[in-house]
Amino acid sequence: MAKTLDGRTALVTGSTSGIGLAIALRFAQEGAKVMLNGFGQPEDIAKARATVGAAMGVAEAPYSPADMSRPDEIRAMVQACQAALGGCDILVNNAGIQHVSPVEDFPDDKWDRIIAINLVSNFHAIKAALPGMKAKGWGRIINVASAHGLVASPFKTAYVAAKHGVLGLTKSVALEVARSGVTCNAICPGFVRTPLAEAQVKPLAEKHGVSEEVALTDHLLDRQPTKKWVEVEEIAEAAMFLVGANSGSINGAPISVDGGWIAQ
Ligand code: NAD
């Protein structure tokens, strides 16, 4: 049976775990050829490649170890994707890191890395992949931003600044590509059950002297009205919608998947 993404090629950054892995797997299950990227233990990367590869009908999905803080490696990754898969029709800029600290104590190197990995990498990947998409007359760029691209929280200055920047980049690129068959959108998740977010629960429990359960519902998810994690499959579903058959008129949009967070 024909699948929605048969014949499509995709590159998902930061896809060795969490949201990126769920998106890569979903795209592969829908027929796309997918290249993975990201860090991790060799056995975890091998497992991700095998899982996504199985959905593609191969032993292992292609993988780039490119560091998203390095423009030269980002350019080489896009070229490697085009060489390995025959194109890069869909680009998902997903790799990201977090650091939580009062602004006056925020380490300079952490600020620089968050801006580089969460924002600047998106620019370099889009710049490298867009000419191929335009030449084909079809392309989909999805930037995984955050609810923190639309509203702020204290102690996350670099992350909030980067994610607000991602939405600005998304809108500007969307205007540039509007007549080319390419779209550029952002997904804005609330708190999603992944290693990046789960790592924030324990420090909150210690800070407030409460159990991890209370730290989750009353502190981390204080502004997520559902009081539940968003699941990675729900983000993958939103990504799937944006690359599906009838999404060509969605362009420059922040798609919230946040349990109602920014409705407040
Ligand atoms: P995660 O930690 O599970 O995954 C992050 C991925 O990025 C991993 O594959 C990691 O190896 C990769 N990565 C980190 N630094 C990299 C680098 N320099 N080069 C290449 N890859 C690198 O986190 P996640 O929660 O799945 O986050 C994915 C994206 O979703 C991030 O952009 C994050 O900001 C965003 N997001 C997450 C949440 C959440 O609650 N989990 C909420 C909103 C937005």
Side-chain angles (χ1 to χ4, degrees):
M1 205 177 83
K3 294 180 180 170
T4 308
L5 297 179
D6 280 345
R8 300 293 189 203
T9 54
L11 172 60
V12 184
T13 72
S15 46
T16 48
S17 85
I19 292 170
L21 179 56
I23 293 174
L25 181 59
R26 182 68 198 273
F27 285 178
Q29 288 167 340
E30 298 286 348
K33 288 189 274 179
V34 186
M35 175 174 268
L36 303 181
N37 156 261
F39 298 158
Q41 298 301 320
E43 58 274 19
D44 293 334
I45 295 173
K47 197 172 158 205
R49 294 184 69 179
T51 304
V52 177
M56 291 163 61
V58 297
E60 52 179 20
Y63 162 77
S64 163
D67 180 341
M68 291 302 102
S69 70
R70 299 189 52 107
D72 53 341
E73 294 190 19
I74 295 169
R75 284 189 285 274
M77 173 187 67
V78 171
Q79 283 170 4
C81 176
Q82 290 163 335
L85 305 182
C88 180
D89 304 326
I90 300 167
L91 169 66
V92 182
N93 284 310
N94 168 78
I97 58 170
Q98 175 64 287
H99 184 77
V100 181
S101 162
V103 65
E104 65 270 35
D105 301 328
F106 211 98
D108 293 353
D109 61 328
K110 295 268 188 220
W111 170 277
D112 289 345
R113 266 193 87 66
I114 289 174
I115 299 295
I117 294 167
N118 294 16
L119 171 60
V120 181
S121 71
N122 294 19
F123 158 72
H124 290 293
I126 291 168
K127 187 175 174 185
L130 190 53
M133 294 180 186
K134 279 184 168 173
K136 246 189 182 173
W138 194 92
R140 294 286 179 267
I141 300 165
I142 299 173
N143 300 321
V144 178
S146 169
H148 281 124
L150 294 159
V151 293
S153 292
F155 313 124
K156 297 182 176 177
T157 46
Y159 189 85
V160 169
K163 295 300 189 180
H164 274 66
V166 168
L167 290 189
L169 173 70
T170 302
K171 289 190 264 189
S172 198
V173 171
L175 297 178
E176 291 187 31
V177 300
R179 298 178 69 179
S180 66
V182 180
T183 65
C184 181
N185 292 290
I187 296 177
C188 297
F191 279 107
V192 186
R193 193 198 306 269
T194 70
L196 181 144
E198 283 185 311
Q200 296 175 50
V201 177
K202 200 167 173 223
L204 272 177
E206 284 165 5
K207 182 176 165 193
H208 295 283
V210 295
S211 68
E212 291 193 18
E213 198 175 36
V214 171
L216 178 66
T217 54
D218 293 10
H219 295 286
L220 193 67
L221 302 184
D222 59 340
R223 286 190 291 154
Q224 192 148 298
T226 50
K227 298 288 178 193
K228 282 194 324 195
W229 290 111
V230 175
E231 301 296 341
V232 291
E233 292 78 12
E234 296 178 288
I235 306 298
E237 189 68 32
M240 192 55 218
F241 179 66
L242 289 172
V243 300
N246 295 312
S247 59
S249 295
I250 304 172
N251 193 25
I255 308 291
S256 290
V257 187
D258 65 2
W261 179 335
I262 65 137
Q264 297 162 101

